[in-house]
Amino acid sequence: MSLITLIPLLPLLGFLINGIGFRHVPKSLAGIISSGAALASFACVLSLFFGFDGKPQVVSVFDWITVGKLNISMSFLIDQLSLLMLLIITGVGSLIHIYSIGYMSHDEGFGKFFAFLNLFLFFMLLLVMGSNYVVMFIGWEGVGLCSYLLIGFWNKNNNYGNAARKAFIMNRIGDLGFLLGIFLIITHFGSVEYADVLERVTDGGYLSGDKTLFYITLLLFVGAMGKSAQIPLYTWLPDAMAGPTPVSALIHAATMVTAGIYMIIRSNFMYSLAPDTLHIVAWVGTATAILAASIGLFQNDIKKVLAYSTVSQLGYMFMGLGVMAYSSSFFHVMTHAFFKALLFLGAGSVIHAMSDEQDIRKMGGLRKALPITFITFLIATIAISGIPPFAGFFSKDEILAHVFEHDKVMWGFAVFGSMMTSFYMFRLLFLTFFGEFRGTHEQKHHLHESPITMTAPLMILAVLSAVGGFFNLPHIFGGHASLAEFMAPLFAHSNVEHAAVDESLEKTLMVVSVIAALISAGLAYVIYVGKKTVPVADEQVAGFQKVVYNKYYIDELYDKVFVKPITALSNFFSSVFEFLVIDLIVEGVGKLVKSLSAEARLLQNGTTGYYIFAMVLSIAIIIIYSLKSFILG
């Protein structure tokens, strides 16, 4: 068995062991098995990464589907993109597994939870390792299933179950577009293998603006809109906070929501020839970044703030993809994995200390009781706000520079979104860790730093959030853009060209971005530390702030336009159509046949009386028929 096949197999084995015996495997052992499987997978990825010679490697596991000339194999591809994604998934995923040992220690479903975590990891690995779109789709659907299982993990709560169903259904809407895109790829290229599709596109004389590629890329993007929470299919992600906090970290940082970005980067050779699709991608990303950031300004649930932050940051990634800054977008995927995992796990540490309280209005002054959580959360906040020298500054500013080359108006929106990001993140930091404690006496008495199984991952992620930007240090700071150089072979057929940004202009753009972030952070400090302002109770929110606080009533709009009409239609079919068509016609025919067959069965049931009766009746019929013939004849 090769090292490559071990990578997804190990988490699958962890799932099988904990899943089959979750009621019998001791808690201590269940956590070790699950985390050990993730760490062993990470070790395999590290070995592959350091031994990688720059040449893509395809490993065929078995032939899967053969229909005519179409052959689809279960096979894995190891190249620059899959290796980097594997490092993020298994590395950050392992830290989340270890963190979960402490966070879920008192939960009665401990073993089942770790089984689901391992299954999630397996499907995400399948998604990024597949050498064709069908294997990617299997992983794509698998993480959708696991998100349903984990978001609704505490299934005794109906609201959590509703959130899980919402995530599952909205992802199915996007997945339909993805599936139609795959069908178009099969129809036009006769293969789903990335290498085959690339060869047919490059050798097929396709020109920029080709309608076939436009429809394929647009349908694939619909899938990305669902999985990576872009307008209009973004509303499931904030509700996904219903799951345990480690689940939020896994979905938001290391796995599921990055699948859409991965898919577009993997398909870059088609997107680069579909400028209309790229235009749509860029502006959908821009609108999503602004909308989500504005909603995050007034949220008071610590996890909801981070959820809308994720939606906004994903918007920046799609913005970068839309201007063909593929490596820059992936750079932000990587840094975002570090600081967003840290933010969610830090929030989990706060919630753990606050006896499951998530309202930041009831917190305050926690930096003294939770020093490690505070320092690591501060680092992540600085990183996501784009303040140097932490990771988010380098990755976000790289996207902003490419957007500036492409569209100055879009760049203005992006900077505005960056300002809002800095404001709501420092607002969250100040309300949670500064000022006086606003919780109950029991909560104050319970305050304590989290155990080492939770704080150790926080410290590792804090280091990565601080230094992660140096993996792709730009030339103006004396770096070599190492990440972009490593990924360059992936875009050899995409003709990705960017006008060289003047060094002085690049520095000016960075200064503008940093000043904007610092102004927002300073404003948050003045309001929430200087003036000690605490957000008002929900019923006191009024005016435009109420509209934003209620997320522009988009969920309510969807409910009226889509959910209620579909529910009414289903009720009609259930009460009317089913009764008139199913019950009366279909079941009526069945009952008639059943009745007739019951009578006919008497002909051979061995009852002497019935046979005599049948004989007499037959004789009577024969006599009547004979008499009729005699009289008429």
Side-chain angles (χ1 to χ4, degrees):
M1 183 178 296
S2 71
L3 200 61
I4 294 173
T5 54
L6 272 177
I7 294 171
L9 182 61
L10 289 166
L12 180 61
L13 288 174
F15 158 72
L16 292 174
I17 294 170
N18 279 330
I20 294 172
F22 77 91
R23 295 185 184 279
H24 308 288
V25 177
K27 279 187 175 183
S28 56
L29 187 57
I32 291 172
I33 290 170
S34 185
S35 301
L39 283 168
S41 185
F42 177 57
C44 293
V45 174
L46 279 177
S47 178
L48 280 179
F49 180 77
F50 288 116
F52 184 62
D53 60 0
K55 297 177 182 178
Q57 182 181 357
V58 176
V59 175
S60 180
V61 182
F62 56 84
D63 288 333
W64 185 14
I65 301 171
T66 300
V67 181
K69 294 182 179 180
L70 177 65
N71 181 59
I72 302 172
S73 64
M74 175 60 70
S75 51
F76 299 142
L77 169 65
I78 297 298
D79 65 355
Q80 290 86 349
L81 181 58
S82 58
L83 270 177
L84 290 171
M85 283 296 295
L86 289 174
L87 284 171
I88 294 171
I89 294 166
T90 57
V92 177
S94 296
L95 293 175
I96 294 171
H97 275 70
I98 295 169
Y99 176 95
S100 300
I101 294 175
Y103 190 86
M104 298 294 290
S105 59
H106 300 295
D107 196 282
E108 60 183 15
F110 187 86
K112 182 171 69 173
F113 178 79
F114 275 98
F116 289 165
L117 278 189
N118 270 173
L119 187 63
F120 201 130
L121 211 60
F122 164 72
F123 278 120
M124 192 63 198
L125 292 171
L126 204 64
L127 190 155
V128 301
M129 291 180 69
S131 71
N132 59 64
Y133 286 99
V134 175
V135 177
M136 180 197 285
F137 186 73
I138 298 302
W140 191 279
E141 291 301 295
V143 293
L145 167 66
C146 292
S147 69
Y148 170 78
L149 295 173
L150 286 167
I151 293 168
F153 182 75
W154 290 319
N155 49 41
K156 294 180 181 179
N157 186 314
N158 287 333
N159 291 330
Y160 294 174
N162 291 335
R165 284 193 294 273
K166 183 177 181 180
F168 189 79
I169 292 169
M170 292 199 77
N171 271 275
R172 298 294 73 70
I173 296 170
D175 294 351
L176 176 60
F178 188 23
L179 195 58
L180 291 174
I182 294 174
F183 289 156
L184 272 182
I185 290 173
I186 294 173
T187 302
H188 288 280
F189 303 121
S191 176
V192 289
E193 289 290 327
Y194 304 139
D196 293 342
V197 177
L198 171 61
E199 183 181 355
R200 286 163 176 73
V201 170
T202 53
D203 296 343
Y206 290 92
L207 300 176
S208 179
D210 183 87
K211 288 299 180 183
T212 299
L213 295 181
F214 168 72
Y215 292 129
I216 290 174
T217 53
L218 188 61
L219 286 169
L220 294 179
F221 178 55
V222 171
M225 289 165 68
K227 197 66 71 185
S228 296
Q230 297 297 286
I231 292 174
L233 302 177
Y234 73 94
T235 55
W236 70 269
L237 191 56
D239 287 5
M241 298 303 94
T245 303
V247 174
S248 304
L250 197 62
I251 291 176
H252 285 247
T255 56
M256 186 170 171
V257 296
T258 62
I261 292 95
Y262 167 81
M263 183 268 293
I264 291 180
I265 296 175
R266 177 62 73 194
S267 310
N268 68 85
F269 55 90
M270 288 192 286
Y271 277 88
S272 297
L273 293 174
D276 291 338
T277 305
L278 288 176
H279 191 69
I280 294 170
V281 171
W283 278 107
V284 167
T286 304
T288 304
I290 297 297
L291 179 72
S294 65
I295 295 175
L297 292 173
F298 301 117
Q299 297 303 306
N300 297 314
D301 184 310
I302 188 171
K303 290 173 68 176
K304 280 287 180 70
V305 176
L306 298 180
Y308 281 105
S309 165
T310 299
V311 177
S312 182
Q313 295 305 306
L314 289 167
Y316 280 98
M317 296 171 202
F318 279 102
M319 211 183 300
L321 295 175
V323 299
M324 294 199 295
Y326 300 119
S327 61
S328 300
S329 290
F330 188 82
F331 184 27
H332 201 52
V333 168
M334 183 179 73
T335 60
H336 179 263
F338 299 151
F339 56 68
K340 185 52 60 70
L342 177 54
L343 286 167
F344 268 111
L345 298 185
S349 181
V350 170
I351 295 168
H352 182 264
M354 289 288 296
S355 303
D356 297 326
E357 178 62 65
Q358 296 184 198
D359 194 331
I360 57 177
R361 292 171 294 189
K362 299 176 182 179
M363 297 179 187
L366 298 184
R367 68 184 189 277
K368 296 177 182 177
L370 311 173
I372 297 175
T373 302
F374 165 65
I375 293 171
T376 55
F377 203 93
L378 173 62
I379 291 171
T381 301
I382 296 172
I384 194 174
S385 300
I387 298 173
F390 293 165
F393 163 73
F394 295 103
S395 58
K396 186 184 291 185
D397 269 54
E398 198 170 299
I399 291 175
L400 292 179
H402 289 299
V403 170
F404 184 83
E405 300 168 22
H406 180 79
D407 191 317
K408 307 298 185 292
V409 175
M410 189 183 294
W411 175 83
F413 280 120
V415 172
F416 179 58
S418 182
M419 291 182 69
M420 288 192 287
T421 300
S422 179
F423 180 83
Y424 67 68
M425 285 307 306
F426 276 98
R427 170 183 179 268
L428 176 63
L429 179 79
F430 295 143
L431 285 172
T432 303
F433 293 100
F434 287 74
E436 299 297 324
F437 183 72
R438 299 179 294 275
T440 64
H441 176 74
E442 289 76 16
Q443 288 174 331
K444 187 174 183 179
H445 178 72
H446 182 264
L447 289 177
H448 63 278
E449 186 59 273
S450 299
I452 188 65
T453 54
M454 294 172 66
T455 55
L458 294 182
M459 290 184 279
I460 294 171
L461 288 167
V463 173
L464 292 171
S465 299
V467 305
F470 294 94
F471 292 134
N472 199 45
L473 195 66
H475 295 285
I476 62 170
F477 292 117
H480 299 286
S482 303
L483 181 68
E485 291 180 3
F486 180 73
M487 296 182 70
L490 297 166
F491 316 118
H493 300 279
S494 291
N495 298 319
V496 178
E497 294 180 3
H498 296 285
V501 180
D502 181 73
E503 187 173 314
S504 60
L505 176 59
E506 190 172 359
K507 289 180 179 178
T508 301
L509 294 176
M510 288 184 176
V511 169
V512 170
S513 175
V514 172
I515 290 175
L518 290 173
I519 289 173
S520 296
L523 181 61
Y525 181 85
V526 170
I527 295 173
Y528 298 107
V529 178
K531 296 183 179 180
K532 299 181 180 180
T533 303
V534 178
V536 298
D538 292 352
E539 59 272 13
Q540 295 178 300
V541 180
F544 181 67
Q545 182 177 340
K546 184 177 181 179
V547 175
V548 179
Y549 181 74
N550 286 287
K551 300 159 285 188
Y552 299 101
Y553 298 102
I554 293 173
D555 280 301
E556 288 78 2
L557 176 66
Y558 286 179
D559 188 61
K560 287 186 177 180
V561 175
F562 299 109
V563 177
K564 288 183 178 178
I566 292 174
T567 302
L569 184 64
S570 65
N571 289 336
F572 168 78
F573 278 116
S574 173
S575 58
V576 178
F577 185 81
E578 184 175 353
F579 173 73
L580 293 177
V581 178
I582 306 298
D583 293 348
L584 290 183
I585 297 178
V586 177
E587 290 189 9
V589 171
K591 289 179 180 178
L592 178 62
V593 172
K594 186 176 180 180
S595 300
L596 292 175
S597 65
E599 295 299 324
R601 194 161 45 243
L602 296 173
L603 294 172
Q604 50 184 344
N605 66 355
T607 302
T608 305
Y610 185 83
Y611 288 167
I612 293 173
F613 171 75
M615 182 181 68
V616 171
L617 182 63
S618 300
I619 293 171
I621 293 172
I622 292 170
I623 293 172
I624 292 170
Y625 182 79
S626 301
L627 288 173
K628 178 183 175 183
S629 300
F630 177 77
I631 294 170
L632 294 177

